[in-house]
Amino acid sequence: MSQVHALSDDQVGQELRKMTAFIKQEAEEKAREIQIKADEEFAIEKSKLVRQETDAIDSAYAKKFKQAQMSQQITRSTMANKTRLRVLGARQELLDEIFEAASAKLGEATHDQGRYKDLIKGLILEGFYAMNEPELVIRARQADYDAVREAAGWASAEYKHKTDKDVKATIDAENPVPEGSAGGIIIVGGNGKIDIDNTFEARLTLLKDSALPAMRKALFGENPNRKFFD
Amino acid sequence: MSAQKSAGIQLLLDAEREATKIVQKAREYRTKRVREARDEAKKEIEAYKAQKEAEFKKFEAEHTQGNQAAQEEANREAEERIREIKEAGNKNREQVIKDLLHAVFTPTPEAMAAH
């Protein structure tokens, strides 16, 4: 068996120094690895956390901005609507006032009895032509009965002249037009079932619809936004 | 010989102990870095959030102000147009009333087509 030669003291010392140096070096290398890894992980973890959270913040604020914008649009639109309504309201007030004023003046027609009778004749004739019946009933204001009788006679004559048909129109004294009316007549036909209201009030009321476009134009001018002119 | 041996072993043991300490320090550094990552991230995130909030507040303030201005403008416009309407009304109402009354007092009896 070969003998392990004992090392000299120097050699032992040398070996020991080599070994301790090795141990230390190994440790330092390991420590360095750990440090480098730690720094890498630090950077990755930090940027991951920051990115995650800032993305969430971004999307939350994007929503907030969008909502704020929408609410602002709603406010603006509501404002525009209110303005429009105010202006339209003012227009309507004016129109209503004009109709009120006209209504108050309806009594003017009776000032000239001659012209009034002629007018009544025309109203009766309108009824004759519309009804196209041989026998009709007229309702009028009690104060107008005489005038109406005369006018009805003229109307029947003209009717016969124009259509070659006879028409008998009688006044219904039991159902006069109410006292408050400013004038005009009502023609009743169809066995009492159909009536044409030609009192001044009724005619003015019809005008409230039919005259509106012309009135608006006369007062306010053309509507620049209008697109359809059927 | 024995004394030398133990001295040698002692040196090695000391070296090991030092080595452990060195590695241990590195591990503590690592732990510290993990914590630092979270802390620094948190700070940056809060700063970002504060900035976004400031931007948003500025936006809101601008638009509140804008709304107010628009409201005043809308009021002014409405009043102007109402004034115009009243003027037009005053100018033309007599004629319109006359026209309405004329329509009421002008019957248009028209014979219908022969039946």
Side-chain angles (χ1 to χ4, degrees), chain B residues 65-79:
Chain B
Q65 204 191 32
N67 274 352
Q68 233 178 334
Q71 176 76 44
E72 283 164 21
E73 174 67 26
N75 276 344
R76 244 178 298 145
E77 201 187 309
E79 266 149 38

Side-chain angles (χ1 to χ4, degrees), chain A residues 7-22, chain B residues 11-12:
Chain A
L7 298 167
S8 70
D9 279 354
D10 276 344
Q11 282 174 313
V12 168
Q14 214 180 6
E15 284 305 305
L16 280 176
R17 273 195 296 278
K18 275 205 275 188
M19 286 166 78
T20 55
F22 179 71
Chain B
L11 267 176
L12 292 175

Side-chain angles (χ1 to χ4, degrees), chain A residues 58-78:
Chain A
D58 280 343
S59 80
Y61 273 90
K63 238 197 277 186
K64 266 180 137 178
F65 270 89
K66 195 162 157 206
Q67 264 178 327
Q69 243 177 345
M70 239 197 314
S71 108
Q72 199 222 358
Q73 276 177 321
I74 292 176
T75 308
R76 291 292 172 89
S77 162
T78 307

Side-chain angles (χ1 to χ4, degrees), chain B:
Chain B
M1 206 49 162
S2 208
Q4 279 175 325
K5 263 203 212 158
S6 356
I9 291 175
Q10 194 55 44
L11 267 176
L12 292 175
L13 287 175
D14 288 345
E16 280 293 338
R17 198 172 25 246
E18 282 306 310
T20 309
K21 273 205 218 146
I22 291 172
V23 172
Q24 186 57 28
K25 251 173 81 182
R27 293 216 171 96
E28 282 166 15
Y29 174 79
R30 186 179 185 174
T31 310
K32 186 178 71 144
R33 281 310 248 171
V34 166
R35 204 177 348 112
E36 281 173 0
R38 277 192 229 124
D39 290 346
E40 282 185 31
K42 191 161 170 213
K43 266 205 270 186
E44 274 184 33
I45 290 166
E46 275 168 20
Y48 187 74
K49 186 166 183 188
Q51 180 207 338
K52 279 298 210 175
E53 183 67 19
E55 273 177 34
F56 182 68
K57 283 271 175 333
K58 181 161 161 237
F59 178 81
E60 274 193 325
E62 277 174 1
H63 283 96
T64 308
Q65 204 191 32
N67 274 352
Q68 233 178 334
Q71 176 76 44
E72 283 164 21
E73 174 67 26
N75 276 344
R76 244 178 298 145
E77 201 187 309
E79 266 149 38
E80 171 66 23
R81 284 162 76 180
I82 291 178
R83 200 185 51 79
E84 281 174 16
I85 288 172
K86 291 213 167 115
E87 243 179 64
N90 283 337
K91 200 166 70 151
N92 297 315
R93 66 187 285 284
E94 284 307 316
Q95 185 59 43
V96 173
I97 293 174
K98 245 171 90 180
D99 291 343
L100 279 174
L101 290 172
H102 179 79
V104 171
F105 298 146
T106 310
T108 50
E110 276 157 10
M112 310 231 281
H115 292 291

Side-chain angles (χ1 to χ4, degrees), chain A residues 16 24 45 60 75 87 101 104 109 140-141 143 145 163 183 199 203 218 220:
Chain A
L16 280 176
K24 194 156 178 223
E45 182 69 10
T75 308
V87 173
R141 300 189 306 172
Y145 281 170
T163 66
T199 55
R203 287 173 69 85
F220 312 125

Side-chain angles (χ1 to χ4, degrees), chain A residues 23-41:
Chain A
I23 291 173
K24 194 156 178 223
Q25 191 188 358
E26 284 239 314
E28 281 178 353
E29 272 178 21
K30 188 156 187 199
R32 206 170 11 245
E33 265 176 36
I34 294 178
Q35 253 179 340
I36 290 175
K37 201 142 183 231
D39 287 338
E40 272 177 16
E41 284 175 357

